Amino acid sequence: MVIVAHVIRQYILFSFIIAGWVLFWNVSLWKKMIFLLLGVITGYYVYLYSPVIQTLISLTEVQVVDNVPTENIRITAYRYFFTEFSPNSISSIFGNGVPHAHSSYGRYYNGVINDQMRLYFSDVGYAQIYAQFGAIGLLAVICIFIRAFFVKIPAEFLYLKLFIVFVFFANIMSGYFLSNH
């Protein structure tokens, strides 16, 4: 319920996918069938009678219909931050740093990028890592995720590995990894 209360569609989707994968992992076939049947019935009921879910579905439909003639803003942001944001090769390798509101770089980011172009680091996690910390930073984050995913851990700590998987996917369309909250 807490995940749904955040009303962030990708977090809801990835959480349910990972939770479903865990629930189906070591369960017999007949239990999987019962769980799937109960899940479909519950999902259908929630779909019909939950105002929060109806609002999320309506919002998604409106965004899909409104964005048909133009490119999705996240694709535009990814392209911009990966190809045009860094002023030189050194910045592409080492990054531009974190913008500070009282610096010229911070004023440029807040004024031109946020206000005029309406592109935000918080919408494109991996592009944010690349823009702020460069190719080296992006490579380091990818190595952290790969190492965390393939490391052998005791079963009681499996939730940590699953959280890393969630963060990896959630960071595609949000700034989850570098979020300051």
Side-chain angles (χ1 to χ4, degrees):
M1 294 307 298
V2 171
I3 293 167
V4 174
H6 278 108
V7 196
I8 301 173
R9 291 164 287 176
Q10 69 169 344
Y11 294 176
I12 296 168
L13 174 68
F14 295 136
S15 296
F16 277 94
I17 288 172
I18 292 170
W21 177 62
V22 169
L23 290 173
F24 277 96
W25 187 317
N26 290 324
V27 178
S28 64
L29 181 61
W30 70 272
K31 287 182 180 177
K32 288 178 185 175
M33 298 302 283
I34 290 173
F35 181 76
L36 190 60
L37 179 65
L38 289 174
V40 167
I41 292 169
T42 304
Y44 183 71
Y45 177 79
V46 169
Y47 171 76
L48 289 178
Y49 298 108
S50 173
V52 172
I53 300 299
Q54 289 295 327
T55 302
L56 288 173
I57 291 169
S58 297
L59 178 62
T60 302
E61 289 172 350
V62 166
Q63 287 177 341
V64 167
V65 170
D66 287 349
N67 284 330
V68 169
T70 62
E71 183 178 60
N72 184 295
I73 191 67
R74 284 192 169 101
I75 293 171
T76 303
Y78 262 101
R79 185 180 320 103
Y80 179 78
F81 288 127
F82 271 109
T83 61
E84 299 175 35
F85 185 71
S86 295
N88 54 45
S89 298
I90 299 296
S91 294
S92 295
I93 295 169
F94 295 105
N96 298 293
V98 178
H100 185 275
H102 300 296
S103 68
S104 59
Y105 169 52
R107 285 189 295 276
Y108 170 74
Y109 174 74
N110 287 328
V112 175
I113 308 302
N114 286 353
D115 296 338
Q116 292 176 11
M117 297 176 72
R118 302 209 184 256
L119 302 178
Y120 303 94
F121 282 151
S122 60
D123 288 343
V124 286
Y126 293 107
Q128 175 186 14
I129 293 168
Y130 177 77
Q132 291 180 348
F133 304 108
I136 292 174
L138 187 59
L139 184 64
V141 168
I142 290 169
C143 287
I144 289 170
F145 284 137
I146 290 171
R147 175 81 171 116
F149 186 75
F150 288 108
V151 70
K152 299 290 184 194
I153 59 170
E156 64 262 19
F157 299 116
L158 179 63
Y159 69 94
L160 296 170
K161 187 179 280 193
L162 296 173
F163 182 71
I164 292 293
V165 170
F166 170 78
V167 170
F168 178 78
F169 287 116
N171 200 56
I172 294 170
M173 294 182 286
S174 73
Y176 194 88
F177 188 72
L178 294 179
S179 174
N180 60 0
H181 58 278

